Amino acid sequence: MTPPPSGPVCAGASTAATATRSGSGSGPAPYAAYPSFTSYVRARGPVLLRTARSLTANHSDAEDLLQTALTKTYVAWERIEDHRALDGYVRRALLNTRTSQWRKRKVDEFACDEVPEPLGLPAPDPAERQALHDAMWRAVMKLPDRQRAMVVLRYYEDLSEAQTAEVLGVSVGTVKSAVSRALGKLREDPELSPVR
């Protein structure tokens, strides 16, 4: 968004303030500066609100838009030397703010026919996971020592059949048959029946 002018605003951008002529001199006519920001808003608020309404269809959005533009004007109030340019300054702020809102909404908001489904499945209940882990470990502990060692190496330590055979000093065939029997016993364990 292009910010409103940061330096002194040039004369002649708007004729918001009423020019008052004093005397019959031939020099440029002096103008009545707004004594305060509040006096400017009171005097020009309705006109500026109409401008904001022309930039957005919703009355509440127009009020918000004008409020934002007036806030920017208030911040720059001391730098605006020519009060005849105030309306131009506020209009520029209105346009810049509205353009910024439009660009942001174009990126962030989009219409769709259906509400998108949440990504992924909900995480399992930690208590249920712990209960299953405990039941599985109790079932493994019921296995004969040799089978239990092979199951632990294969599935808890994630070793291959060859690595398990090497660690235990047995053949790969022995590992395969022992692990197969151990898995059969685990499938029959009553504590693990809900998992089957």
Side-chain angles (χ1 to χ4, degrees), residues 27 31 46 53 55 74 77 86 98 103 130 143 161 192:
Y31 63 91
R53 286 291 305 272
L55 296 174
Y74 177 78
W77 182 258
L86 283 170
R98 184 61 182 148
R103 286 179 181 156
Q130 186 60 48
L143 295 172
E161 290 172 340
L192 300 179

Side-chain angles (χ1 to χ4, degrees), residues 14-21 29-34 43-44 83-84:
S14 174
T15 56
T18 305
T20 59
R21 296 191 179 270
Y31 63 91
Y34 292 100
R44 300 301 296 162
H83 284 195
R84 290 176 293 180

Side-chain angles (χ1 to χ4, degrees), residues 31 39 41 48-49 51 64 81 83 91 102-103 109 120 132-133 147 157-158 162 166 174-175 181-182 185:
Y31 63 91
S39 65
V41 173
L48 297 171
L49 182 58
T51 303
D64 291 344
E81 295 178 352
H83 284 195
R91 287 189 186 103
W102 176 80
R103 286 179 181 156
E109 298 178 13
L132 175 60
H133 179 272
Q147 289 180 4
E157 299 294 328
D158 201 25
E166 184 179 348
T174 301
V175 172
R181 286 192 301 274
K185 290 178 182 177

Side-chain angles (χ1 to χ4, degrees), residues 8-40:
V9 179
C10 63
S14 174
T15 56
T18 305
T20 59
R21 296 191 179 270
S22 61
S24 57
S26 60
Y31 63 91
Y34 292 100
S36 68
F37 176 76
T38 304
S39 65
Y40 169 72

